[in-house]
Amino acid sequence: MKQSIVALSVLACLSSTAWSQSKKVNFDFGWKFMEQDVAGAQAASFDDTKWQSVDLPHDWDIFHAPNADAPTGNGGGYFPGGTGWYRKQVKDTDLKLANGETLWLNFEGVYQCSEIFVNGTKVSTHAYGYTPFKVNITPYIIKGINTIAIRVDNSKQPNCRWYSGSGIYRHVWLETYNENKMDDPQKLFVRTDKVYGISADGTRADSAAVHITYDGKLDETRMLKNVELWSPANPKLYDIKVGELTVKHGVRTFTYDSTNGFILNGQPTLINGACVHHDDGIIGAMAFDAAEIRKVKLMKEAGFNLIRTSHNPQTRAMLDACDSIGMMVVDESFDGWYTEKNPHDYHLVIDSCYTEDLTAMVLRDRNHPSIISYSIGNEVIERKDIRVVHTANKFKKVITSLDSTRPVTEALCAWDRDWEIYDPHAAVLDIAGYNYMMHKAESDHERVPERVMWQTESYPRDAFANWKHTVERPYIIGDMVWTGLDYLGESSIGQFHYEGEPREESWQAKHFPYHGAYCGDVDLIGWRKPISHYRDMLWNTKEGASDIYLAVREPDYYYKGHVTETMWSVWPTWESWNWKGWEGKNIEAEIYTKAPKVRLYLNDKLIETRDVNISTEYKARITLPYQPGTLKAVALDANGNEVSESILRTSGEPASIRLTTDRKQISADGEDLAYIKLEVIDKNGNLVPDATIPVTVNVNGKATLLAAATANLRDIEPKTSPNVTTYKGQALIVVRSGKKAGKATITATSTQFKGIGRQDITIK
């Protein structure tokens, strides 16, 4: 029986809000950029005055429209890739060092194949686009003006199976370390060795032994008394000061085995997970902290308690958010290994880079309480080569040499009849990851009863079956749907197709103008699809509860002919009772609840009453002739009383635009974001869910427009353009703060009506 007892910590990484270091400077501002390869651009004397001025994070791909001939192709979302240069100058007076100090550039992520030059000298290279790396620039600093130049080469395409973005898309920091001090967060490891006296509900403990090590200079145990335990429901963090560093520490413990399942803080816990790619939707790969926090919040609000970082390490800010918001994480390293999935992917550099990249991931991430497992790979092509077992072992050894407190997993799959032959490979893993293979769970359990499993990818439409598998079988500890969020690249995966469109899967045909994946529970602008509400109800709502959700299945042939589903799709289903032209024809309402009965009313007339239970998969589908007005679903309790309702109303014609911001105030740090929902509304303020309206966005004041776009993955207007055509009556605006305090006014206008949308925010 495999067992792990783990307690976690937070942030031995680079968040100014979550840890402190004696000398650390944000290096994101004041860069010059050129989107092409330029001979001699590394030289200090090079004239870059005509280059574009940019601030980081920066992804040059997202400023382009998808193009059918783009080299990244269907997988990369038809964005250009290419080569770019960044240059920045800094005075030596800003780089003063005391005795024993060294100066470093810390890159959180550059996509990809970066070369770093200081005053014309190449000082470092880094191949992998998803891991952080640090460069010691102390020997290259001169008196006067110092020139930092970065060449980024994303021209060799295709190299990624999804949208990668291009450029210095994560933060850069200028950091000073002192060999006589404890000030390097990567050398610090804070973990909980033991928890004493856990309460019956798993929320508190009498005490906890916190073990702290720092690169051979420190090895001590501190006792915390009367401890609140970290969990997704209660993400409590404690400040721990070590030398020059202050980190946040989350105390928690978990065990897992095939008899008892996954036990968090003494409580049986089902893992309802989401696979999530690294991009942030309409702003591409630009990893602003506010965008990463929002991504985690969206997953939390959708009912998930775990994110799998498919298929690469994500950002420090994203993990910070998981720690503080309460989200468990499977921290994944690689998509492929030695056999290519794309001609220019990681297989070309794996031998020279895997130790460096695994080490970078673990040293940055091991102090996060959110991380419950490391993953070493995903659906590797060489799975039938016995050498794959050796590879899995050596990757696991790198990880456990740095952090032995977490289990190691990997996402396994089979694309043919072979499965049992992978037993030696699965035996390397502490928890075996199954991609779309849960139908093998029972026979595997009979053959290998000690194996602990989780489904590391599953089809969205199989929500009920996967929930039921996990609930009924303790050796299956969770499910991770593909995916939590729609994302750019892997164009058209999860999409339902209409007449005249290619009906093959995403990898079988060219699907332009589709440039993203529609398999998420949450779409590109943050709208929760009906499947999200259904999945949340299954995992998080108790039997007999009165929560209820109503949506409507799009009638076949309503929009553009016959609808064809694909492997990762669900039937197009909407929160809409606007079906103009379908009057008198049958349409299907879909109701989700764990209440024992539901009723459906149209314009206050009872249509039908239905029993709902596990045998109906907690759904009621009711067919009725379409008629405009008010559609209402009502949940009944065990005594037959109507206790809750969900309502859809037919809207009037578009009359105006409503703007609603997620935050009224953002920080004047030049990097904070406000997300503003744009809705087309009728004269009564109702959303017009079928409105396709061209809109122009304008931002005035102490902020700038970063993006304005919709969830429509066929719309090829650049996402950073101020022009956007609403989809399902909605769009999303992203605004970036300036460095000066004041106000910003965001307006949205359309030539199709007089109503203007306006939203004011404060930058402070």
Side-chain angles (χ1 to χ4, degrees), residues 536-547 593-596 618:
D536 184 18
M537 181 269 297
L538 288 174
W539 289 87
N540 298 307
T541 303
K542 293 181 179 180
E543 187 80 24
S546 63
D547 298 0
T593 186
K594 283 189 174 176
Y618 300 110

Side-chain angles (χ1 to χ4, degrees), residues 710-721:
T710 71
N712 184 1
L713 294 169
R714 291 171 294 205
D715 185 352
I716 60 171
E717 178 74 22
K719 300 191 187 305
T720 53
S721 164

Side-chain angles (χ1 to χ4, degrees), residues 191 193 210-214 218-222 241-242:
R191 59 195 184 274
D193 277 350
V210 178
H211 190 200
I212 303 168
T213 58
Y214 185 92
L218 180 69
D219 189 339
E220 69 175 37
T221 298
R222 300 181 190 175
K241 183 172 177 58
V242 182

Side-chain angles (χ1 to χ4, degrees), residues 307-566:
I307 288 173
R308 174 187 174 217
T309 68
S310 49
H311 304 290
N312 50 264
Q314 296 194 15
T315 66
R316 172 268 315 157
M318 182 267 195
L319 295 175
D320 289 355
C322 290
D323 293 340
S324 60
I325 293 170
M327 181 71 66
M328 295 182 287
V329 175
V330 173
D331 199 7
E332 191 153 273
S333 54
F334 309 127
D335 181 31
W337 292 350
Y338 284 91
T339 302
E340 70 178 61
K341 294 183 176 180
N342 273 324
H344 301 284
D345 66 17
Y346 194 72
H347 82 280
L348 296 174
V349 297
I350 187 169
D351 261 335
S352 59
C353 293
Y354 78 83
T355 299
E356 174 189 356
D357 290 324
L358 287 171
T359 299
M361 178 183 76
V362 176
L363 291 185
R364 186 197 66 173
D365 297 349
R366 61 186 177 177
N367 288 329
H368 286 275
S370 53
I371 295 173
I372 64 164
S373 178
Y374 297 111
S375 170
I376 54 176
N378 172 69
E379 298 181 354
V380 297
I381 301 297
E382 63 268 39
R383 64 197 179 281
K384 288 190 176 181
D385 186 331
I386 193 61
R387 288 173 293 183
V388 77
V389 178
H390 170 72
T391 303
N393 267 307
K394 72 179 183 181
F395 287 1
K396 181 180 180 182
K397 184 177 180 180
V398 174
I399 289 174
T400 56
S401 70
L402 302 167
D403 179 6
S404 61
T405 69
R406 294 171 173 88
V408 173
T409 192
E410 181 192 335
L412 307 177
C413 70
W415 301 326
D416 48 34
R417 292 179 181 272
D418 290 325
W419 175 251
E420 290 77 12
I421 65 168
Y422 305 136
D423 281 356
H425 190 169
V428 175
L429 308 172
D430 302 305
I431 302 174
Y434 285 50
N435 280 10
Y436 314 104
M437 297 300 298
M438 272 297 103
H439 59 282
K440 291 287 189 178
E442 289 186 83
S443 58
D444 284 6
H445 180 64
E446 292 177 5
R447 189 178 68 259
V448 192
E450 72 276 10
R451 182 182 295 175
V452 180
M453 317 168 190
W454 48 20
Q455 188 159 217
T456 35
E457 290 182 27
S458 65
Y459 297 114
R461 65 160 60 90
D462 292 339
F464 177 80
N466 291 319
W467 166 79
K468 193 168 183 288
H469 262 96
T470 306
V471 167
E472 294 177 349
R473 297 165 178 84
Y475 52 88
I476 304 173
I477 64 172
D479 177 71
M480 303 167 209
V481 68
W482 191 268
T483 57
L485 285 161
D486 284 355
Y487 56 93
L488 300 176
E490 289 190 271
S491 305
S492 87
I493 189 173
Q495 191 67 55
F496 45 87
H497 294 304
Y498 296 109
E499 296 285 352
E501 296 178 338
R503 295 176 183 260
E504 295 90 349
E505 294 296 332
S506 63
W507 66 90
Q508 295 173 326
K510 187 173 183 178
H511 289 274
F512 187 83
Y514 286 104
H515 55 278
Y518 197 70
C519 48
D521 275 23
V522 179
D523 75 11
L524 209 63
I525 66 170
W527 177 70
R528 289 181 62 189
K529 302 174 190 176
I531 187 63
S532 170
H533 294 273
Y534 180 57
R535 192 183 318 279
D536 184 18
M537 181 269 297
L538 288 174
W539 289 87
N540 298 307
T541 303
K542 293 181 179 180
E543 187 80 24
S546 63
D547 298 0
I548 190 168
Y549 175 83
L550 171 65
V552 176
R553 289 167 62 86
E554 180 179 310
D556 202 8
Y557 294 97
Y558 177 79
Y559 182 57
K560 287 185 178 179
H562 176 54
V563 174
T564 300
E565 287 199 67
T566 53

